[in-house]
Amino acid sequence: MTPSEHVDNTAAPQHVAIVMDGNGRWARERELPREQGHQHGRIKLHDVVRAFSERGVRYLTLYAFSTENWRRPSEEVEGLMTLAAEAIKQDAPRLHQEGARLVHLGRKDRINPDIAAAIDRVVDMTKGNTGITLSVAFDYGGREEILEAARTLLRDDITPDDVNESTFASRLFTNGLPDPDLIIRTGGELRISNFLLWQAAYAELYFTPTLWPDFGPEEVRKALDSYAARKRRFGALDGE
């Protein structure tokens, strides 16, 4: 996936993260089962990854399953796990063929062992790819990530004086990835829902009422155009 020569990528964010929301409402509006909404949301994956890559985005992180999602009805959770297995089987090879590197963010000890093993295989298979890095946050929660980073620092016997932003960030699930420049939430809700809490410190936020199954290349363009029109100061004044 190489950036299109016909698109100006000079103002593109390096890293975009997305809270993919609205699958259930999309299905309800069409009087379909919720699982159909999740299925249609999965189908959007490839087109969205390609659209961001063509606009020069080098890292894309998708919030696929949160630590809180375990509270959903067992039938829906089981369906989401099945969907994850389908995505690994059907979408990952295609993304690998196009040069994408896949990364998992979150826990794996609560996931079905077969799915966890499949995730490991896909990550290993794509680790040498040089195209867009697609990180999938699956069984991920921002607060839990921060707590686990703190636990790891304690286990590593790091002294308090040696704890800084760099040493802390190196214990996060996102170690090795740049912080997101832009966080998008689909579906109309105006919150980030425990997603990348540490990493989002200076991210630009973009909220759209578009439901995730309807989020395509045109919505990608709108989000990136909005980002390009903003001035990122990181606490400084204009001109500094």
Side-chain angles (χ1 to χ4, degrees):
M1 300 180 193
T2 57
S4 170
E5 296 178 357
H6 306 291
V7 177
D8 180 7
N9 293 316
T10 56
Q14 180 180 209
H15 184 179
V16 174
I18 307 178
V19 180
M20 304 181 294
D21 193 19
N23 290 342
R25 279 171 286 161
W26 185 92
R28 186 169 64 246
E29 288 175 1
R30 291 158 178 78
E31 298 183 348
L32 296 171
R34 284 180 63 85
E35 56 265 28
Q36 287 295 313
H38 294 310
Q39 186 65 250
H40 278 270
R42 184 190 71 79
I43 291 170
K44 300 298 295 187
L45 176 66
H46 186 264
D47 286 345
V48 170
V49 174
R50 178 186 289 275
F52 277 111
S53 181
E54 289 179 345
R55 290 290 296 250
V57 172
R58 302 302 302 152
Y59 299 85
L60 179 64
T61 297
L62 303 178
Y63 201 8
F65 188 88
S66 74
T67 53
E68 293 77 21
N69 286 157
W70 291 109
R71 302 173 189 166
R72 294 188 177 186
S74 58
E75 297 83 3
E76 183 170 356
V77 170
E78 185 176 342
L80 289 169
M81 293 299 150
T82 299
L83 196 66
E86 290 177 4
I88 293 169
K89 182 178 181 180
Q90 298 175 23
D91 300 325
R94 187 177 180 187
L95 290 165
H96 174 48
Q97 228 176 17
E98 297 184 359
R101 178 170 72 104
L102 275 67
V103 174
H104 171 258
L105 305 180
R107 295 175 57 171
K108 284 185 291 187
D109 57 299
R110 297 186 292 194
I111 301 172
N112 178 294
D114 291 338
I115 296 176
I119 290 172
D120 288 340
R121 287 194 297 271
V122 165
V123 169
D124 185 66
M125 176 178 69
T126 64
K127 65 183 179 182
N129 291 347
T130 58
I132 192 170
T133 294
L134 175 63
S135 301
V136 180
F138 197 87
D139 198 6
Y140 171 91
R143 287 183 174 181
E144 185 164 311
E145 176 184 35
I146 290 170
L147 287 172
E148 183 56 30
R151 295 185 192 106
T152 302
L153 287 171
L154 292 171
R155 285 194 291 265
D156 291 345
D157 291 326
I158 303 296
T159 63
D161 289 342
D162 288 331
V163 177
N164 53 40
E165 289 191 13
S166 178
T167 57
F168 192 85
S170 71
R171 271 69 176 181
L172 296 171
F173 296 136
T174 53
N175 181 35
L177 301 175
D179 287 344
D181 304 292
L182 174 65
I183 294 179
I184 298 169
R185 182 172 184 138
T186 65
E189 301 291 351
L190 306 179
R191 56 179 179 269
I192 59 174
S193 296
N194 200 22
F195 185 44
L196 301 178
L197 298 181
W198 171 276
Q199 301 87 340
Y202 283 101
E204 296 292 324
L205 305 179
Y206 178 86
F207 300 100
T208 173
T210 302
L211 304 175
W212 174 249
D214 293 325
F215 191 90
E218 178 59 18
E219 294 299 323
V220 169
R221 182 194 64 76
K222 290 178 183 177
L224 295 183
D225 286 353
S226 174
Y227 173 87
R230 305 183 190 186
K231 292 183 178 180
R232 305 187 73 203
R233 302 182 184 88
F234 300 98
L237 299 176
D238 284 338
E240 291 188 4

